[in-house]
Amino acid sequence: MNSDNSMAAKELPVALFSGSSNLPLAGRIARSYGQDLGQITRVRFSDGEIYVRFEESIRGVDVFLIQSTYPNADSWMELLLMIDAAKRASAARITAVMPYFGYARQERKDQPRVPIAAKLVADLLGTAGIDRVLTMDLHASQIQGFFDVPVDHLYASGVFAGYFHKLNLTNLVVVAPDVGAIKMARAYASRLSTDLAVIDKRRPGPNQAEIVNIIGEVEGRNVLLIDDIIDTAGTLTNAANALRDAGACDIMAACTHPLLSGQAYERIEASALSRMVVSDSVPLRRRSDKVAVVGVAEMFANAIRQIATDASVSTLFKP
């Protein structure tokens, strides 16, 4: 058989569908990919039960289901039902496109009698019938090993680095707000060709952070704090205030997944941060003068295109 014909025979029709958790981002991904979102009905019965139905044939189709699984658990249930419906409708391949992967912070058994929730939801996706996962900035990269199917892990650092390059920042230092963020902060420092500092902290209780020490030179310098998830913003704002007290000048932050629950907005607006740049992986609860959003739709569309054509996703991250 001619090799060109063989390659063409492997290509499947592609369809993109979205759950309800982040429809605006799903729409932007579809437009960047170059086609409309597929038609799907999502209904919630009066008792809260979720119902989904594909309104077009997906038999033999390469299906991409776009859903960020941020709290509450309904986003997970809706995704699982979409996967099951697609499998029963004879989709050729099913890829879960998860800009934000929920429960990633429960990825290890660090106390007695607690679950490893990230492993549990990975198993649920596999049982539902997923063939592949596409996600971004997992809280712990080892979560990829919880799956028995391929996982394509995207990094928002390229998108954020482009944003900060345009600001022409000088005398900059990238700061990790805790030890867990060092790897991500190092990637940003490399892309921005600048120094790295780390904040050593101890956490006296859940959603509480106490700044202990700043490792690195920040006095008289502009600072970029880096983290993957901002929930209550306690760690981030405590770090920003500590950096201000240590003599830092302009203090900015970049965060991939802006959950921003509880008093997060109030803390950010009252903190030493001049601005916080976030991705649109999770829709913001409200606007803030200190919060700017950069889009990741084009990156996901490019990754979907690579997957659909069986091309390498890693080539997207070459400088």
Side-chain angles (χ1 to χ4, degrees):
M1 180 180 289
N2 182 280
S3 60
D4 291 339
N5 292 337
S6 178
M7 287 296 294
K10 291 175 61 178
E11 294 184 7
L12 299 169
V14 174
L16 279 60
F17 296 89
S18 177
S20 59
S21 71
N22 198 343
L23 276 167
L25 174 58
R28 289 189 289 270
I29 292 172
R31 285 193 295 273
S32 184
Y33 185 79
Q35 67 184 53
D36 295 331
L37 286 172
Q39 296 298 310
I40 185 170
T41 295
R42 299 175 299 272
V43 175
R44 185 179 297 274
F45 298 146
S46 60
D47 65 351
E49 185 174 311
I50 297 168
Y51 167 88
V52 300
R53 171 188 165 91
F54 290 94
E55 298 297 344
E56 57 193 74
S57 175
I58 54 174
R59 181 180 295 272
V61 172
D62 198 356
V63 171
F64 292 83
L65 304 175
I66 305 169
Q67 179 86 315
S68 280
T69 52
Y70 63 93
N72 54 40
D74 286 355
S75 60
W76 275 105
M77 191 65 195
E78 187 179 70
L79 176 59
L80 293 170
L81 291 174
M82 288 193 295
I83 295 167
D84 187 71
K87 180 179 68 173
R88 297 177 188 278
S90 301
R93 181 169 63 176
I94 307 167
T95 300
V97 181
M98 307 169 71
Y100 172 68
F101 184 91
Y103 288 92
R105 287 176 288 178
Q106 298 184 57
E107 88 290 2
R108 64 191 187 279
K109 192 172 185 292
D110 56 352
Q111 300 176 53
R113 300 175 296 280
V114 298
I116 304 178
K119 177 66 168 71
L120 173 61
V121 294
D123 288 344
L124 289 171
L125 288 170
T127 300
I130 205 70
D131 294 299
R132 196 175 197 98
V133 172
L134 173 62
T135 189
M136 177 177 67
D137 280 351
L138 285 169
H139 185 64
S141 58
Q142 63 265 28
I143 290 173
Q144 296 173 77
F146 293 169
F147 289 91
D148 294 323
V149 298
V151 177
D152 292 301
H153 188 198
L154 305 182
Y155 300 93
S157 55
V159 177
F160 282 115
Y163 176 92
F164 288 107
H165 269 303
K166 292 177 182 177
L167 298 181
N168 295 317
L169 301 171
T170 59
N171 196 25
L172 181 69
V173 58
V174 172
V175 177
D178 55 29
V179 174
I182 289 177
K183 185 177 181 180
M184 175 177 281
R186 187 183 293 119
Y188 279 80
S190 176
R191 282 184 175 270
L192 296 171
S193 301
T194 189
D195 298 329
L196 175 67
V198 181
I199 292 179
D200 174 37
K201 67 170 176 55
R202 295 174 185 170
R203 190 182 294 274
N207 292 330
Q208 300 177 38
E210 177 185 354
I211 301 301
V212 178
N213 191 30
I214 299 173
I215 304 170
E217 183 58 49
V218 298
E219 185 175 2
R221 304 189 68 176
N222 297 317
V223 167
L224 176 58
L225 278 161
I226 300 294
D227 214 345
D228 60 331
I229 298 173
I230 297 183
D231 189 357
T232 62
T235 295
L236 187 77
T237 54
N238 285 345
N241 295 336
L243 290 163
R244 175 193 58 197
D245 296 341
C249 299
D250 189 25
I251 303 170
M252 297 169 289
C255 164
T256 307
H257 307 299
L259 303 184
L260 300 180
S261 65
Q263 300 298 309
Y265 281 95
E266 291 76 10
R267 287 172 176 160
I268 291 166
E269 289 161 358
S271 74
L273 288 171
S274 62
R275 82 172 76 179
M276 185 176 78
V277 185
V278 301
S279 87
D280 53 355
S281 67
V282 174
L284 296 179
R285 290 195 293 119
R286 67 173 176 84
R287 294 180 180 272
S288 170
D289 291 338
K290 284 193 174 185
V291 179
V293 180
V294 296
V296 294
E298 183 178 358
M299 179 173 65
F300 273 95
N302 289 336
I304 291 171
R305 191 172 291 110
Q306 297 295 94
I307 294 170
T309 57
D310 291 327
S312 172
V313 174
S314 63
T315 57
L316 299 175
F317 303 105
K318 291 183 178 179

